[in-house]
Amino acid sequence: MIRLQNIEKVYRTDTIETLALNSINLDVAKGEFLSIMGPSGCGKSTLLNIIGLLDAPSKGEIKISDQKTDHLNDKQLAQFRNKKLGFIFQSYHLINDLQVLDNVELPLLYRDSTAKERKQLATEALEKVGLANRIKHFPTQLSGGQRQRVAIARAIVGRPEIILADEPTGNLDSAMGNEIMDILINLNRNEGTTIIMVTHDENMAHKTHRLVRLFDGSQVQ
Ligand code: ADP
Ligand code: ADP
């Protein structure tokens, strides 16, 4: 499903060069739930951004769904991301002055769909995360766990093959974190969605199929 070959990422400014990723090779199978751990600054977000086609590597090749991605222009990349990938962030990234339903509909605005279809798909996604009774609320009227569930609904509404989650439970207490983890585990099991999750939490990582550890830009496990 995902293949990274000899990925290297160097951040360059006028005076500093940082080797953020050093010859990373990684294969992720369809339907796999993979977690990535490592100390702060080891390259986790950089790796997730590269897999998510938000950032280009300095060297190496990425294939997603067996497709090479290096020849795509910005518009094609945006379309590819919108169709294949769903993103979940630690800090939710919801739009606070849009109601829950409108937040969840956002990814569908870039596709051919009618307002009625969008509403139906968004409602279904919110049902899957147990929030169908909050569609008219605004994000600020929800708890952290509920906001993250809205963010998951937004990530899955377009039925992506792959979900990329950057510390999805990082801002939540352990009860809410476990709820979010259960939703992701069910999504992976029931819909076969491939999930790659960055986490600082060993307990969460051990619930996934496989753990990759990074240290100083290199894969150590
Ligand atoms: P993590 O997510 O594991 O905390 P990051 O991927 O954010 O690590 O960062 C990896 C390394 O790359 C760090 O040393 C960080 O300082 C550096 N880095 C990240 N983003 C930039 C950037 N935009 N410019 C320069 N250096 C960066
Ligand atoms: P934190 O919560 O630790 O501030 P996030 O999990 O929100 O970090 O974001 C992780 C990474 O994803 C960051 O490198 C950020 O630049 C990137 N990012 C966040 N939101 C978006 C977005 N809407 N589109 C593209 N990249 C984003």
Side-chain angles (χ1 to χ4, degrees):
M1 166 88 5
I2 299 167
R3 167 160 289 183
L4 304 186
Q5 280 179 304
N6 287 316
I7 295 292
E8 187 177 304
K9 178 68 183 181
V10 182
Y11 290 108
R12 282 193 183 86
T13 62
D14 289 346
T15 49
I16 316 171
E17 267 195 14
T18 311
L19 181 59
L21 292 175
N22 188 10
S23 44
I24 300 288
N25 290 287
L26 183 66
D27 277 321
V28 184
K30 187 169 166 51
E32 196 168 12
F33 192 163
L34 179 85
S35 45
I36 301 173
M37 293 192 80
S40 188
C42 71
K44 303 182 296 296
S45 291
T46 301
L47 182 59
L48 209 62
N49 285 344
I50 284 176
I51 297 172
L53 307 176
L54 295 164
D55 200 1
S58 311
K59 272 191 203 161
E61 193 180 274
I62 313 160
K63 278 187 184 166
I64 301 200
S65 307
D66 294 320
Q67 268 177 274
K68 280 174 72 165
T69 54
D70 52 0
H71 62 287
L72 299 175
N73 64 33
D74 286 350
K75 193 177 167 204
Q76 291 166 324
L77 277 175
Q79 278 173 352
F80 193 86
R81 270 201 302 271
N82 184 258
K83 214 171 137 211
K84 302 265 180 195
L85 305 172
F87 294 90
I88 304 169
F89 302 99
Q90 177 173 3
S91 47
Y92 325 124
H93 291 290
L94 300 174
I95 297 182
N96 282 334
D97 53 12
L98 288 182
Q99 290 177 354
V100 162
L101 189 71
D102 296 325
N103 264 284
V104 175
E105 283 185 20
L106 282 175
L108 302 174
L109 294 177
Y110 303 96
R111 302 184 179 194
D112 286 331
S113 58
T114 64
K116 198 177 158 196
E117 286 164 349
R118 286 198 293 274
K119 186 169 180 188
Q120 186 178 344
L121 288 171
T123 305
E124 282 170 17
L126 283 161
E127 280 166 3
K128 283 187 189 155
V129 299
L131 271 188
N133 56 349
R134 292 286 186 279
I135 63 173
K136 292 201 163 165
H137 281 59
F138 288 92
T140 50
Q141 299 169 322
L142 302 176
S143 71
Q146 289 173 329
R147 288 185 208 193
Q148 193 59 297
R149 286 195 268 156
V150 176
I152 294 175
R154 181 186 55 189
I156 65 177
V157 73
R159 301 184 189 283
E161 294 168 28
I162 301 162
I163 297 267
L164 301 175
D166 197 349
E167 295 198 45
T169 63
N171 282 353
L172 304 174
D173 66 31
S174 64
M176 283 199 196
N178 281 325
E179 270 179 39
I180 293 303
M181 207 49 206
D182 287 344
I183 291 173
L184 294 177
I185 289 168
N186 283 330
L187 183 67
N188 170 256
R189 276 200 198 132
N190 301 338
E191 323 249 342
T193 310
T194 306
I195 304 181
I196 302 180
M197 174 180 76
V198 166
T199 182
H200 273 113
D201 189 329
E202 293 274 353
N203 291 324
M204 303 298 177
H206 285 124
K207 293 181 183 188
T208 68
H209 297 143
R210 181 158 64 109
L211 169 58
V212 164
R213 286 187 198 270
L214 292 182
F215 188 80
D216 213 3
S218 297
Q219 190 175 337
V220 292
Q221 177 189 319

